[in-house]
Amino acid sequence: QCPWGTPSTTSISCSLADVMSEQLAKELQLEEENAAFPEVVAAAEGPFITGENIDTSSDLMLAQMLQMEFDREYDAQLRREEKKINGDSKVSISFENYRKVHPYDSDSSEDEVDWQDTRHDPYRADKPTTTPRRGFIGKGKDITTKHDEVVCGRKNTARMENFAPEFQVGDGIGMDLKLSNQVFNALKQHAYSEERRSARLHEKKEHSTAEKAVDPKTRLLLYKMVNSGMLETITGCISTGKESVVFHAYGGNSATEDKVIPPECAIKVFKTTLNEFKNRDKYIKDDYRFKDRFSKLNPRKIIRMWAEKEMHNLTRMQNAGIPCPEVVILKKHVLVMSFIGQDQVPAPKLKDVALSSEDMKKAYYQILNMMQQLYKECNLVHADLSEYNMLWHDGKVWLIDVSQSVEPTHPHGLEFLFRDCRNVSQFFQKGGVAEALNERELFNAVSGLNITADNEVDFQAEIEALEKMNEDHVQNHGKKLSTFSSDGDPPIYDE
């Protein structure tokens, strides 16, 4: 039992010749293999080791067999990952390009071949069969012409692929959908309508101004004004309306057309898409200054003329000494003016400011004097005068928004003047000004026309008669000269 003792087994003595014998060496090796790995010997009976047609003594063949077994395991792992990723999804992906395929792999079965390897795709619908040039198929009672309901329906379904990409038509071919000619024509017309509508919306977005925003072209004009040094910076939007958007900006150091840039400026951007202009063209189409350039076919040109008209009207008012914004520069539909206010705070409108009785009376006489100056010296009628278009700043009234102003000889000039007088008279009468004239008295005081009428209907009838007489005079003589008879200059009212 001692571990350092001699072993109990006795070795068999043999001669040196027997030990050196090759046959004895093979027998000893075989006995050791059987004793150590009996199961390997049992498995070695297969063709992999002891097959008659496989040369296991070749290292190349062994390497190829090992590589093939590795590739099979790799492909099996890929198939498991592919199945796990796809799951129950109708749209599947394949790792076919990453598989290891060998020409001597004889164990691959047809069940392992992926459907994408086949020439026929079961998920791809067959294209509709087309009729030949002769227009029919078959003979006798089995003849099928190009007008067949099934053939036409499948053709219409296939032709839906020619619609615009944004028009979703679905997988009608895969469902073997058969569209009649009536349904296909309706879908085709709808697709074209949607395509044109999409194009119009895109053009409107790119070429129009929106509330508190400007289109790319207008933004480029503003950038150029800043880069040229005319404006220092544009702070933000201060007012919005149906016709325009007004921004506040600080003036730069450079002078334009011998004009000094004011410290604070107001940038009026006229909107380039306005449905209201279809109804407001009467303010500009009969104005002799723009009559030859007026065109309903190009609304953008009307917008530019609208901005140009406001610039000319403001210039007239400024030359007459009427308190109004000073024009700095006009670029297309962007008008830069002096800012009525201080420190980015615009002057309040007359409807928003609470004036005392003395200030209200003072404002009334100022407006009356300005209306007379506007009519007599500037030869203009505001045409939209109200408490919404008059600002209160530095203790006096300022007139703004004169883009729609016309001359008294306009076919509707006196009507516009009477409407302005009604707005002014009603506002100051409600404000408690006892000296405020009614609309008819104010109209005669501003225009100098002594129209005597007992009621408003007859008063407006006489106004229309004067406008008709002036229009006939213009057509006969071709000159924009007033034929209104007035008794001298209108009286100037003062406190």
Side-chain angles (χ1 to χ4, degrees):
Q1 299 296 330
C2 181
W4 291 279
T6 57
S8 58
T9 58
T10 58
S11 59
I12 302 173
S13 60
C14 59
S15 61
L16 182 60
D18 295 335
V19 174
M20 299 299 294
S21 175
E22 183 179 357
Q23 186 66 28
L24 180 59
K26 288 183 179 181
E27 292 177 358
L28 292 175
Q29 181 180 1
L30 185 58
E31 289 178 0
E32 292 178 359
E33 290 178 356
N34 291 335
F37 309 103
E39 66 280 357
V40 176
V41 175
E45 295 178 358
F48 184 76
I49 300 297
T50 61
E52 298 178 356
N53 299 328
I54 300 178
D55 186 10
T56 57
S57 61
S58 173
D59 295 339
L60 177 61
M61 181 59 67
L62 289 174
Q64 289 177 348
M65 294 172 68
L66 291 174
Q67 183 65 39
M68 184 170 59
E69 187 67 22
F70 173 78
D71 292 343
R72 285 177 181 173
E73 295 178 1
Y74 179 77
D75 291 347
Q77 179 65 21
L78 275 182
R79 279 191 291 270
R80 285 192 293 270
E81 293 180 1
E82 179 182 337
K83 185 177 180 180
K84 181 180 179 181
I85 292 177
N86 292 331
D88 298 333
S89 177
K90 294 182 180 180
V91 180
S92 61
I93 62 174
S94 174
F95 295 156
E96 183 66 25
N97 294 336
Y98 299 97
R99 294 181 184 176
K100 306 293 185 180
V101 183
H102 296 275
Y104 42 80
D105 188 0
S106 60
D107 292 341
S108 61
S109 61
E110 295 182 359
D111 297 337
E112 297 177 355
V113 179
D114 192 78
W115 64 268
Q116 291 187 0
D117 297 334
T118 61
R119 294 193 176 187
H120 177 69
D121 185 356
Y123 296 98
R124 181 180 300 172
D126 297 332
K127 292 186 178 180
T129 57
T130 58
T131 55
R133 288 187 177 181
R134 57 188 179 181
F136 64 92
I137 300 176
K139 295 181 180 180
K141 62 179 182 180
D142 298 330
I143 189 171
T144 302
T145 65
K146 62 181 180 180
H147 304 289
D148 183 71
E149 184 178 358
V150 176
V151 175
C152 281
R154 288 175 176 170
K155 280 186 178 180
N156 291 336
T157 304
R159 289 162 61 188
M160 284 198 306
E161 295 182 351
N162 298 328
F163 291 168
E166 58 270 10
F167 190 79
Q168 305 295 333
V169 297
D171 188 15
I173 300 179
M175 296 183 295
D176 195 17
L177 186 64
K178 305 176 185 64
L179 291 179
S180 63
N181 291 334
Q182 182 179 2
V183 175
F184 173 76
N185 291 332
L187 287 176
K188 181 180 178 181
Q189 186 65 31
H190 179 67
Y192 289 163
S193 301
E194 287 296 316
E195 187 176 2
R196 290 194 297 268
R197 177 176 172 272
S198 177
R200 287 197 303 268
L201 291 178
H202 179 72
E203 182 181 2
K204 183 177 180 180
K205 180 180 178 181
E206 292 295 328
H207 298 92
S208 65
T209 54
E211 185 176 357
K212 297 183 181 180
V214 293
D215 61 301
K217 291 185 178 179
T218 307
R219 195 178 302 116
L220 182 60
L221 289 176
L222 299 180
Y223 288 160
K224 288 182 178 179
M225 292 180 183
V226 175
N227 292 335
S228 63
M230 187 177 66
L231 298 178
E232 182 180 353
T233 180
I234 300 175
T235 57
C237 178
I238 58 176
S239 176
T240 59
K242 295 183 299 182
E243 303 172 359
S244 60
V245 182
V246 182
F247 296 91
H248 175 271
Y250 285 106
N253 299 324
S254 62
T256 304
E257 298 179 359
D258 298 334
K259 293 183 179 179
V260 180
I261 307 297
E264 291 185 273
C265 298
I267 305 174
K268 189 171 185 179
V269 180
F270 289 84
K271 295 182 180 180
T272 53
T273 53
L274 286 178
N275 294 328
E276 291 81 1
F277 272 94
K278 296 179 181 179
N279 302 325
R280 297 172 67 87
D281 56 359
K282 60 183 179 180
Y283 291 96
I284 194 171
K285 69 177 182 179
D286 293 323
D287 196 324
Y288 75 96
R289 295 174 293 177
F290 306 95
K291 190 173 183 179
D292 296 335
R293 297 162 49 192
F294 178 78
S295 173
K296 274 189 176 181
L297 301 179
N298 195 339
R300 294 191 183 93
K301 289 186 178 180
I302 299 180
I303 306 298
R304 294 186 183 181
M305 284 192 291
W306 199 261
E308 184 180 348
K309 187 176 182 182
E310 177 157 8
M311 180 194 68
H312 290 310
N313 293 339
L314 286 175
T315 304
R316 285 191 186 185
M317 295 168 61
Q318 183 181 352
N319 294 335
I322 299 177
C324 65
E326 179 184 355
V327 177
V328 177
I329 193 173
L330 172 66
K331 290 290 186 182
K332 295 182 179 180
H333 60 283
V334 178
L335 179 63
V336 181
M337 306 172 290
S338 60
F339 180 69
I340 308 301
Q342 189 175 6
D343 297 334
Q344 303 185 27
V345 180
K349 297 178 181 178
L350 206 58
K351 73 177 186 67
D352 298 327
V353 64
L355 298 178
S356 61
S357 58
E358 293 296 329
D359 288 338
M360 184 68 74
K361 182 179 178 181
K362 178 181 177 182
Y364 173 73
Y365 282 104
Q366 286 181 0
I367 293 173
L368 180 58
N369 188 18
M370 284 190 292
M371 291 179 68
Q372 292 175 343
Q373 282 185 290
L374 198 65
Y375 186 89
K376 183 66 178 179
E377 300 180 21
C378 301
N379 196 26
L380 287 176
V381 175
H382 192 283
D384 193 21
L385 188 62
S386 66
E387 61 272 17
Y388 294 87
N389 292 329
M390 294 183 286
L391 304 181
W392 181 259
H393 181 63
D394 288 342
K396 59 183 178 180
V397 181
W398 297 68
L399 294 183
I400 61 171
D401 193 10
V402 294
S403 56
Q404 72 285 330
S405 299
V406 296
E407 295 193 350
T409 54
H410 189 275
H412 304 283
L414 296 182
E415 295 179 21
F416 297 154
L417 177 60
F418 184 73
R419 187 176 61 189
D420 292 347
C421 294
R422 181 192 291 118
N423 295 335
V424 172
S425 178
Q426 290 179 357
F427 174 75
F428 283 101
Q429 284 178 355
K430 291 180 182 179
V433 180
E435 295 84 354
L437 304 175
N438 60 37
E439 56 266 21
R440 286 175 285 177
E441 296 174 347
L442 184 59
F443 179 87
N444 288 330
V446 171
S447 63
L449 302 174
N450 294 324
I451 300 178
T452 56
D454 297 334
N455 52 36
E456 185 176 344
V457 177
D458 295 340
F459 197 89
Q460 290 184 350
E462 291 192 25
I463 291 177
E464 293 178 0
L466 288 175
E467 290 178 342
K468 185 66 172 62
M469 182 175 59
N470 182 72
E471 187 176 358
D472 295 339
H473 177 79
V474 171
Q475 291 179 356
N476 294 332
H477 298 82
K479 295 181 180 180
K480 273 289 182 180
L481 298 177
S482 175
T483 59
F484 307 144
S485 59
S486 60
D487 298 338
D489 296 337
I492 302 299
Y493 286 81
D494 201 355
E495 301 183 60

